[in-house]
Amino acid sequence: FTPKSSTSAQAWNARSKMAAPGNEEEELTQEQTEKLLQFQDLTGIESMDQCRHTLEQHHWNIEAAVQDRLNEQEGVPSVFNPPSSRPLQVHTADHRVYSYVVSRPQPRGLLGWSYYLIMLPFRFTYYTLLDIFRFAIRFIRPDPRSRVTDPVGDVVAFIQSFEEQYGRIHPVFYQGTYSQALNDAKRELRYLLVYLHGDDHQDTDEFCCNTISNPEVVNFINTRMLFWACSTSKPEGYRVSQALRENTYPFLAMIMLKEQRMTVVGRLEGLLRAEDFVNQLTFIMDANATYLVSERLDREERNQTQVLRQQQDEAYLASLRADQEKERKRKEAQEKRRREEEDVRQQILAEERRQRSLQEEKERKSERLPPEPFPDNPDNVKIIFKLPNDTRVERRFLFTQSLTVIYDFLFSLKETPEKFQIVANFPRRVLPCLPTEREPNPPTLQQAGLSRCEVLFVQDLTDD
């Protein structure tokens, strides 16, 4: 074991010993601790409590616990959390089912026949009275085996009882319900060997000790099929017994997927020796191998068809997404052009409104201008304006008028730019025609130092 696992186990054991007095959790043996560490290494589960709980559910059978854990990781429900789906139906009415029945040996010699004839009345009376008693008891109390309440518990209890009575050398029991075993055999396309255990039958002990526990039989079953077993004294075993209709014990049925349904393809009844048992199983498997190969080919074909359909669906979805993306981009480009056109239209409208507002302002300024004085007025000031487009405009003003009048006159002209300033030469200066915070009332022409004849320049400030 790895040092990390050993450290984890030591820490977990220390924590268990330091638990409260009310905690009745049993301390692990050395063998159980080793299994706990090995199970943690194999499954990668960090929680020691979860590892112990899983092993306890499987009665410390590490192979079954690991198998159940791997099944859960593959999406198969745990045997301790069985699905609520309807169980598979097994076809048992096939007339081609191979049946091998081993009859009890006939008595030999005078002594043997004498013992047989002496015991015959006693056996007949015993079994007759037993059948009458069982028949009568059903009228008083229904058979409790007819109600299956805990199928997994029935199987686990049988496995534990089998190991206590016959030892741990046996094929790996499937630790789950009969329905789950059928589902796994169908999903994995494997044979399923079902063993119904008759507790009271006289051949049961010999079969379990000498046949099932034979190393050759154990290896044969473990490497070729699933093995499910239960006692007919348990509700789960009794339910399977009612479905398979065995005649005597020991009873085994070979089940496989045949013609798209789970079918019983072989029945073995009676006491079989190990070599004969392996030969009969081999014969059944060889006789039905073509069906299993056919099922595998059909499943492979279905899988390939499903993969091809999935690839076609993915290609269709990719093409659909590409078309949707192309349509989205087309709509985005169309929307962008529409917004740009709308922006241009709004700019044109805004410019038109501005120009209209500007023209209205020019008209108002022109209407509010005082009349041009007569040429013989002694306060006349003759001003020649040079516009940015090299045109000249001439008009007379009075010395007493504000520079604002000059600005309003130029503003009302169509040739004048929207924003401008008036510049005088000799000395060169900008005339303060508009009110400011420092000079809310612009000066008059006389205060600005203009002579009777002036040339003023109109400077365009629109770009600024």
Side-chain angles (χ1 to χ4, degrees), residues 88 90 172-174 177-186 189-195 221 224-229 240 244 252-257 262-266 281 284-285 292:
L88 288 175
V90 179
V172 176
F173 290 111
Y174 185 94
T177 66
Y178 176 64
S179 298
Q180 289 174 333
L182 290 173
N183 277 305
D184 278 356
K186 181 179 181 180
L189 289 179
R190 298 180 64 184
Y191 292 100
L192 173 64
L193 183 62
V194 175
Y195 168 59
I221 294 177
R224 289 171 172 80
M225 63 196 71
L226 298 178
F227 184 57
W228 185 89
V240 178
L244 298 181
L252 298 104
M254 182 76 84
I255 303 174
M256 61 172 288
L257 184 63
M262 298 302 287
T263 306
V264 177
V265 295
L281 292 179
I284 295 173
M285 293 172 64
L292 202 60

Side-chain angles (χ1 to χ4, degrees), residues 177-231:
T177 66
Y178 176 64
S179 298
Q180 289 174 333
L182 290 173
N183 277 305
D184 278 356
K186 181 179 181 180
R187 179 174 55 85
E188 300 174 10
L189 289 179
R190 298 180 64 184
Y191 292 100
L192 173 64
L193 183 62
V194 175
Y195 168 59
L196 294 180
H197 184 82
D199 295 326
D200 300 329
H201 197 273
Q202 54 190 342
D203 293 332
T204 296
D205 292 341
E206 184 178 353
F207 179 77
C208 293
C209 291
N210 299 328
T211 304
I212 288 295
S213 300
N214 184 279
E216 183 181 353
V217 173
V218 172
N219 181 67
F220 183 86
I221 294 177
N222 288 344
T223 56
R224 289 171 172 80
M225 63 196 71
L226 298 178
F227 184 57
W228 185 89
C230 191
S231 172

Side-chain angles (χ1 to χ4, degrees), residues 56-59 78-82 147-162 173-178 180 228-231 233-239:
E56 286 177 344
Q57 283 184 323
H58 293 83
H59 299 278
S78 171
V79 297
F80 295 95
N81 296 287
R147 297 182 59 186
V148 182
T149 57
D150 185 14
V152 176
D154 293 341
V155 175
V156 172
F158 164 72
I159 296 172
Q160 184 177 6
S161 174
F162 185 96
F173 290 111
Y174 185 94
Q175 295 206 10
T177 66
Y178 176 64
Q180 289 174 333
W228 185 89
C230 191
S231 172
S233 63
K234 303 290 184 182
E236 176 71 353
Y238 179 74
R239 180 174 69 89

Side-chain angles (χ1 to χ4, degrees), residues 267-285:
R267 298 166 62 94
L268 303 178
E269 299 182 80
L271 179 61
L272 287 87
R273 306 300 179 209
E275 182 179 359
D276 193 20
F277 182 59
V278 171
N279 291 337
Q280 294 300 324
L281 292 179
T282 303
F283 178 80
I284 295 173
M285 293 172 64

